[in-house]
Every structure is written in C-alpha cells, then in structure tokens.
Amino acid sequence: ISDRFNDLSNAVRINNNANFFTAPANIYFYSQNSSVISWIKLNGCGDNPRFIDFANGPATDNVFIYITPSCNPGAGIFNGASVTFCVNAASTLLINRWYHIAAVFTGPNIKVYINGNKVAEIDGHSIQVKNKTISYIGKSNFNVNPSKIKIQ
C-alpha cells in the first residue's frame, strides 16, 4: 500500500478489524485545547467509521474523528455517556486521494480542517481531561470500523 508519496512502507490499510492500533491508557488531552491530526485516503465510504477514537469504551468520554456515509469528515466528543457534540464538514472527500484531516478542540469549540482549510465548526462542550483506557487508531469503540480507509 503506498502512502501519499508512493512509498510502500509507510501507510496502514484498515481492513475490517484486522489492522488497527490500540493506544496505551493515558491522559492524551491534558487541556481542553487539543488537536487530532491524520493523513487518510478513502477507498470508499461506509457506516460512519471512526478512524480515531480515544475513550473509555462506547459513549464514554470519547474524542473521535470519523467519515460519514457520504464521505464527509467529522469530529466529535462524548462527555460522560450521554452528551454528544459532533460536526460534519460539508466538503466531500474524493476516493483514492490523500487528505490531511485535523480536528481542533478549543474550549467548547470543535473545528474540522481538510488540507489546512477550515470546513466545519460547532460550539458544544469541552473535552473532559480524563485517563483514556480504550483508545484506537483505525477502530471504533462502537464496532463500526473503517474497512475503506488508509491512515498514515
């Protein structure tokens, strides 16, 4: 699998739970001002797969980035188990093209960027500074996993 520079050794194919990374338990968001950034390439669109999901389980203090079924990137947070704040970009990603996706969390504000351009913003709740014990890159805590996304 080649990355955005056509290097065959740097990209990871996310393929139906077979390829994902589990991050060790840690406090990854030490303040309410944090960013989550990734290069991704879509091979298709699916069922709102979260390709980054740092949490304590499903609907438990999650910080996540996902792709909608219409190929729009989005980001969101769960604060506790009941309050969710998500924002979807209006911009649609093209298949077989690399994109730099960023989610910036600043206080109660979530912004989504594609290739450095802000494409979505919402005010909601701030990230809770807590130890995240079940955190994935390339897998969701909700068993909706990316089978059509490459991550670098």
Side-chain angles (χ1 to χ4, degrees):
I1 299 164
S2 63
D3 66 10
R4 66 192 188 283
F5 302 113
N6 290 321
D7 185 331
L8 296 175
S9 63
N10 290 330
V12 175
R13 181 186 300 268
I14 303 303
N15 188 5
N16 295 335
N17 294 331
N19 295 316
F20 63 89
F21 301 99
T22 302
N26 206 337
I27 298 175
Y28 289 98
F29 307 98
Y30 283 94
S31 75
Q32 296 175 347
N33 300 324
S34 299
S35 299
V36 181
I37 301 167
S38 180
W39 280 95
I40 67 165
K41 180 179 179 181
L42 300 179
N43 295 324
C45 298
D47 301 322
N48 280 336
R50 294 178 180 192
F51 61 93
I52 294 177
D53 192 350
F54 281 56
N56 291 316
T60 311
D61 302 315
N62 305 62
V63 176
F64 52 91
I65 302 178
Y66 58 93
I67 301 295
T68 70
S70 301
C71 292
N72 307 85
I77 59 174
F78 270 98
N79 276 337
S82 60
V83 181
T84 308
F85 294 92
C86 298
V87 61
N88 298 336
S91 304
T92 301
L93 303 181
L94 301 175
I95 305 302
N96 294 319
R97 182 173 169 189
W98 283 99
Y99 292 94
H100 184 260
I101 305 295
V104 178
F105 303 89
T106 308
N109 185 272
I110 303 171
K111 297 175 188 167
V112 176
Y113 292 82
I114 300 174
N115 296 331
N117 299 306
K118 184 172 70 172
V119 294
E121 183 174 1
I122 189 173
D123 284 328
H125 277 270
S126 301
I127 293 174
Q128 301 221 354
V129 179
K130 290 186 175 183
N131 189 39
K132 305 293 185 193
T133 59
I134 306 172
S135 299
Y136 301 113
I137 299 172
K139 183 178 178 184
S140 170
N141 277 286
F142 286 86
N143 293 320
V144 179
N145 298 312
S147 61
K148 300 175 181 177
I149 299 174
K150 295 179 188 178
I151 301 174
Q152 182 177 11

